[in-house]
Amino acid sequence: MLKNRVILAMDKYIPLEILSEIESEVYGLKIGLPLVLDLGLEKVRNLVKEVNIEEIIVDFKLADIGYVMKSVVEKMLFADSFIAHSFIGVKGSLDELKSYLDEKEKGLYLVASMSHSGWNNSFLSYIKEVIKEINPKGIVIGATKTDLISSFKREFPSIKIISPGVGVQGASYGDAICAGADFEIIGRSIYTAKDPVNQLKSINKIIEDRVMNCKGRVPK
Ligand code: BMP
């Protein structure tokens, strides 16, 4: 049985009863800014406390000076990891955030290439330099860019790739994993479904079937 490959993007409130049924079907839970603005930090913290999910990732896509990013994450240490942009550079920014998170034993993900069509890849070589220097736990690459996923996997084999853009945004379930991603981030296709639990189960089945058929092509 393939281990869970889905990170549920929670940008909207999902009741605890549903989350409890989902927890064994997902690898991670990604907390979005809209959810925190809707519920307030305290309610999000309490909700997260009640669920048993391997990795809780806070996704505010931090892009600021080190001091301010630290001031944000220190309020959310109930999470296991945090997502920041990489284009902001290292000195006085990501270097400070990374050492703070290391000290707290928390993970950092950096955005490498976004899923939407307007994302400009001209800065890719700079972004790779930043990734090399920071050596984050993982990177975010849109599932709509499978060639990039494969090339990053070859270049940074030990860095986890998490990939959004699946379902509503157009990529097919399993595409990113076949290209070398570790996890697919899926939000609306699950939480707007009439029956999110069964929808997630069907998605997991599709991913499992797809991965069985692409196995030989997954870059080592
Ligand atoms: P959905 O499956 O509903 O399209 O959600 C995708 C999730 O992934 C959202 O939380 C969004 O913030 C995030 N995301 C994305 O869509 N594209 C990116 O390039 C990076 C992201 O983090």
Side-chain angles (χ1 to χ4, degrees):
M1 167 72 182
L2 183 80
K3 71 177 171 48
N4 292 329
R5 299 290 206 123
V6 171
I7 294 173
L8 174 63
M10 200 156 93
D11 291 309
K12 289 278 172 256
Y13 175 63
I14 302 173
L16 184 59
E17 309 79 72
I18 294 179
L19 280 179
S20 308
E21 282 191 71
I22 276 175
E23 60 185 19
S24 60
E25 298 284 330
V26 295
Y27 162 75
L29 189 64
K30 186 174 82 67
I31 309 283
L33 187 53
L35 178 76
V36 178
L37 294 174
D38 278 349
L39 286 193
L41 190 51
E42 208 41 47
K43 284 197 177 135
V44 172
R45 185 185 282 119
N46 290 336
L47 192 65
V48 164
K49 239 194 267 163
E50 297 297 321
V51 294
N52 182 18
I53 290 179
E54 191 157 336
E55 187 170 352
I56 306 291
I57 306 170
V58 165
D59 179 12
F60 287 180
K61 291 196 186 60
L62 299 163
D64 217 314
I65 55 169
Y67 172 80
V68 171
M69 294 195 290
K70 281 192 284 177
S71 308
V72 174
V73 304
E74 73 182 10
K75 292 174 179 57
M76 308 193 80
L77 291 176
F78 58 85
D80 301 297
S81 40
F82 296 85
I83 299 180
H85 269 296
S86 43
F87 64 75
I88 54 178
V90 175
K91 222 165 169 235
S93 181
L94 286 173
D95 55 351
E96 293 178 14
L97 178 64
K98 177 67 162 54
S99 5
Y100 178 78
L101 292 176
D102 283 350
E103 194 187 297
K104 300 285 177 198
E105 299 184 331
K106 304 289 176 186
L108 174 66
Y109 288 87
L110 292 180
V111 177
S113 182
M114 289 190 70
S115 56
H116 60 291
S117 58
W119 176 263
N120 186 341
N121 271 322
S122 334
F123 302 107
L124 210 55
S125 61
Y126 172 65
I127 279 177
K128 281 185 181 174
E129 269 175 45
V130 173
I131 290 168
K132 240 176 239 159
E133 206 173 329
I134 291 293
N135 190 26
K137 169 180 182 159
I139 52 180
V140 182
I141 307 178
T144 45
K145 292 161 184 164
T146 46
D147 289 353
L148 265 187
I149 293 175
S150 302
S151 73
F152 268 87
K153 194 68 191 172
R154 274 190 294 269
E155 202 167 335
F156 303 99
S158 61
I159 297 182
K160 243 186 213 167
I161 297 179
I162 61 175
S163 189
V166 184
V168 173
Q169 293 184 55
S172 301
Y173 303 118
D175 276 359
I177 289 170
C178 281
D182 295 276
F183 299 102
E184 295 190 355
I185 297 170
I186 306 175
R188 287 166 290 176
S189 306
I190 297 169
Y191 66 70
T192 61
K194 265 211 177 91
D195 180 348
V197 180
N198 275 316
Q199 170 76 347
L200 175 59
K201 285 183 179 164
S202 323
I203 291 173
N204 274 340
K205 179 79 183 86
I206 296 170
I207 293 177
E208 188 175 346
D209 291 346
R210 176 94 166 81
V211 171
M212 294 306 267
N213 291 319
C214 75
K215 240 181 179 158
R217 296 198 298 109
V218 176
K220 293 281 172 284

